[in-house]
């Protein structure tokens, strides 16, 4: 059986019962590998693995929970969002599984559309390769206005947002690393300046998407990054760049945070410097090798 990954993001963290119900729904037919909830973001990120059929069933059940439990009209969180079940990527883990990922994503989109929630395609599922930021621009109010003006049309489902659950972004993409760097500052403008300088779209690091966010609970600001191409910019290089920009602003890095899981290759790349190794290939890591042996044995 070929495994696919999914990393759904739900607009819930402050209500522990909702997070628990989402976890239960996702675990009903898929393997939940990781859960990351952030109170300031008011967002929970789950990492799942399973066959296409297992992921579609699990994600559909979780969307139903999100519709029942999350009202964006009263939702408060610092992370941009357009839906209660905000974004649901399907990730092929092998080159030969691309078609399976597309098939699963389309099946999921069809089922979500039947729940009276509009679906917007992004990544390799989208005709123009749109990214989540293209839909989140202006917030849910801005998205609603663009729909009403006919500037944007959902790919599946109703032509207007669900009154409490908004919309859902569904896409196919490569594995990415969600990585946050906390700064010893409460000045969000500093974080926004640093984010603007390190993100690829502004001429910064390749494969980096970045936001500067204030975290009231933590009393810190954060540079929140998606590292979309860790081979071009591994996490330790991104941290070095943020630290350098922070130093230029007279601010120190406090700590970093991994959201979800990290590919073994990226962890190996980060270990090269401290270990004094010129290279550390993923083939030198014990657990991935054992998993390959186990996979071959089961097949």
């Amino acid at each position: 059986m070929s495994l696919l990954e999914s990393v759904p993001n739900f607009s819930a963290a402050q209500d522990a019962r909702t997070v628990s119900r989402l976890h239960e729904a996702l675990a009903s037919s898929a393997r939940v590998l990781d859960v990351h909830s952030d109170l300031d973001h008011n967002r929970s990120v789950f990492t799942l693995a399973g066959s296409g059929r297992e992921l579609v069933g699990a994600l559909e059940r979780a969307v139903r929970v999100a519709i029942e439990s999350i009202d964006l009209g009263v939702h408060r969180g610092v992370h941009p969002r357009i839906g209660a079940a905000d974004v649901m990527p399907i990730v092929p883990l092998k080159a030969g599984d691309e078609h399976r990922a597309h098939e699963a994503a389309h099946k999921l989109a069809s089922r979500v559309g039947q729940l009276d929630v509009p679906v917007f395609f992004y990544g390799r599922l989208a005709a123009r390769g749109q990214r989540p930021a293209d839909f989140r621009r202006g917030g849910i109010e801005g998205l609603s206005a663009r729909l009403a003006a006919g500037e944007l049309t959902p790919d599946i489902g109703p032509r207007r947002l669900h009154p409490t659950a908004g919309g859902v972004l569904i896409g196919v993409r490569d594995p990415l690393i969600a990585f946050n760097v906390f700064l010893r500052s409460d000045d969000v403008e500093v974080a926004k300046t640093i984010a603007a300088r390190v993100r690829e779209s502004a001429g910064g690091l390749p494969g980096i998407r970045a936001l500067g966010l204030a975290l009231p609970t933590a009393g810190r600001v954060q540079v929140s990054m998606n590292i979309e191409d860790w081979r071009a910019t591994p996490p330790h290089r991104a941290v070095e760049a943020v630290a350098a920009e922070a130093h230029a602003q007279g601010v120190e890095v406090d700590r970093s945070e991994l959201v979800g899981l990290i590919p073994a290759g990226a962890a190996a790349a980060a270990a090269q410097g401290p270990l004094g190794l010129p290279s550390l290939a993923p083939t030198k890591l014990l657990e991935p090798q054992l998993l390959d042996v186990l996979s071959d044995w089961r097949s």
Side-chain angles (χ1 to χ4, degrees):
M1 179 182 69
S2 293
L3 289 178
L4 299 173
E5 181 191 31
S6 183
V7 191
N9 290 214
F10 296 90
S11 298
Q14 297 170 5
D15 184 346
R17 171 157 174 74
T18 295
V19 176
S20 177
R21 291 186 63 205
L22 289 167
H23 189 292
E24 182 180 353
L26 294 169
S28 63
S29 64
R31 178 75 176 270
V32 178
L33 305 178
D34 187 77
V35 184
H36 181 95
S37 293
D38 188 288
L39 296 179
D40 283 313
H41 286 223
N42 202 4
R43 189 177 186 85
S44 291
V45 180
F46 295 82
T47 305
L48 317 176
S51 66
R53 178 182 58 80
E54 290 169 339
L55 289 182
V56 170
L59 292 168
E60 179 193 357
R61 283 185 281 274
V63 171
R64 290 180 181 273
V65 171
I67 293 171
E68 296 169 0
S69 308
I70 302 170
D71 183 350
L72 292 184
V74 297
H75 182 276
R76 296 294 179 267
V78 301
H79 198 287
R81 63 204 172 276
I82 62 103
D86 188 54
V87 58
M88 293 187 160
I90 305 294
V91 182
L93 300 176
K94 296 181 181 178
D97 288 337
E98 180 79 11
H99 72 286
R100 292 186 179 88
H102 280 257
E103 182 181 70
H106 279 286
K107 286 182 179 178
L108 175 63
S110 177
R111 294 190 187 184
V112 171
Q114 293 172 15
L115 300 177
D116 201 33
V117 177
V119 175
F120 304 89
F121 291 156
Y122 80 96
R124 296 202 291 272
L125 212 61
R128 298 189 301 278
Q130 294 98 322
R131 301 178 181 276
D134 296 323
F135 299 97
R136 293 176 183 149
R137 174 170 44 87
I140 196 163
E141 296 82 4
L143 179 59
S144 183
R146 280 186 283 163
L147 289 172
E151 298 175 13
L152 189 64
T153 302
D155 293 283
I156 301 287
R159 293 175 177 262
R160 43 101 186 113
L161 297 177
H162 187 281
T164 59
V168 178
L169 302 173
I170 295 178
V172 173
R173 61 160 174 78
D174 291 326
L176 61 74
I177 301 170
F179 202 82
N180 301 326
V181 179
F182 295 81
L183 307 176
R184 291 178 183 170
S185 172
D186 59 2
D187 187 348
V188 71
E189 293 305 318
V190 169
K192 289 181 177 180
T193 297
I194 295 171
R197 290 179 178 173
V198 301
R199 71 171 68 106
E200 182 181 35
S201 62
L205 301 170
I208 296 293
R209 313 293 163 194
L211 294 171
L213 302 172
L215 306 177
T217 302
R220 290 282 191 268
V221 295
Q222 177 189 83
V223 179
S224 178
M225 294 180 286
N226 276 348
I227 304 173
E228 296 184 342
D229 185 351
W230 63 263
R231 291 177 177 83
T233 305
H236 64 290
R237 298 298 182 206
V239 173
E240 290 171 357
V242 170
E245 294 292 346
H247 181 73
Q249 297 285 322
V251 173
E252 294 182 358
V253 167
D254 183 23
R255 61 184 176 88
S256 299
E257 175 184 55
L258 178 65
V259 180
L261 304 182
I262 185 171
Q272 291 174 19
L275 293 178
L277 295 171
S279 66
L280 182 59
T283 54
K284 290 293 186 180
L285 302 179
L286 174 63
E287 287 81 2
Q289 294 284 56
L290 292 177
L291 288 175
D292 285 341
V293 172
L294 181 60
S295 176
D296 291 341
W297 176 72
R298 284 178 173 172
S299 63

